[in-house]
Amino acid sequence: MKSFLMDLYQIRPSQLYLDQEKIERLKGAFDPLNVRFNAPLPIKKNGGEAFLTDGHTRAFLYSEAKISVIPVYWDTDDLDMDLYQTCLEWCRKEQVIFIDDLKDRILPHEQFEKQWIERCARAVKGED
């Protein structure tokens, strides 16, 4: 895995919400100012757009700390790209274009599970 630096504002989020519990947990363990030593975030391309496949909470913490150039790597995992395409469409429809757009979309853990995780599960089954 070869990591490189990329402008956070050139990377699209692929989820509509953040989990408040996870943000609080990561705040104690993740130092966004320590960019050089933090694990890179995984990204893929959809058309010409780069998007996060994971690491939305860390990306949000970078943004909150006003860090815009972050370590990333090209995610080579075999992911459900149909699901990611659906998620990216949901994000576009709800105008979640930049990681900052999630600042007003932070949910308590149980609500995050219901509104995001269950929605994704329904999409995988073709129900959403």
Side-chain angles (χ1 to χ4, degrees), residues 63-77:
S63 177
E64 290 286 290
K66 308 288 188 241
I67 305 291
S68 62
V69 177
I70 64 166
V72 296
Y73 69 95
W74 293 113
D75 188 340
T76 57
D77 290 348

Side-chain angles (χ1 to χ4, degrees), residues 1-19:
M1 163 185 67
K2 182 171 169 31
S3 68
F4 57 97
L5 297 175
M6 188 168 182
D7 185 336
L8 181 57
Y9 299 99
Q10 293 180 344
I11 308 168
R12 301 286 178 240
S14 63
Q15 66 184 53
L16 290 172
Y17 306 101
L18 293 173
D19 182 333

Side-chain angles (χ1 to χ4, degrees), residues 7 14 22 29 31 95 100 124 128:
D7 185 336
S14 63
K22 189 170 182 182
D31 178 7
Q95 297 181 343
D100 284 356
V124 167
D128 196 292

Side-chain angles (χ1 to χ4, degrees), residues 54-104:
D54 195 19
H56 288 76
T57 305
R58 288 179 289 153
F60 180 74
L61 293 174
Y62 276 124
S63 177
E64 290 286 290
K66 308 288 188 241
I67 305 291
S68 62
V69 177
I70 64 166
V72 296
Y73 69 95
W74 293 113
D75 188 340
T76 57
D77 290 348
D78 187 21
L79 303 174
D80 183 343
M81 291 309 292
D82 289 337
L83 176 60
Y84 276 98
Q85 181 65 39
T86 298
C87 293
L88 290 166
E89 286 172 21
W90 291 339
C91 287
R92 270 191 281 282
K93 281 182 189 171
E94 297 198 30
Q95 297 181 343
V96 175
I97 307 300
F98 303 106
I99 200 69
D100 284 356
D101 295 332
L102 293 173
K103 73 178 174 294
D104 296 323

Side-chain angles (χ1 to χ4, degrees), residues 25-72:
R25 190 173 61 247
L26 269 180
K27 275 184 180 178
F30 176 73
D31 178 7
L33 300 177
N34 201 6
V35 173
R36 181 176 298 185
F37 298 104
N38 287 336
L41 303 182
I43 61 172
K44 281 194 179 277
K45 268 204 172 174
N46 177 47
E49 289 184 327
F51 68 93
L52 290 167
T53 59
D54 195 19
H56 288 76
T57 305
R58 288 179 289 153
F60 180 74
L61 293 174
Y62 276 124
S63 177
E64 290 286 290
K66 308 288 188 241
I67 305 291
S68 62
V69 177
I70 64 166
V72 296

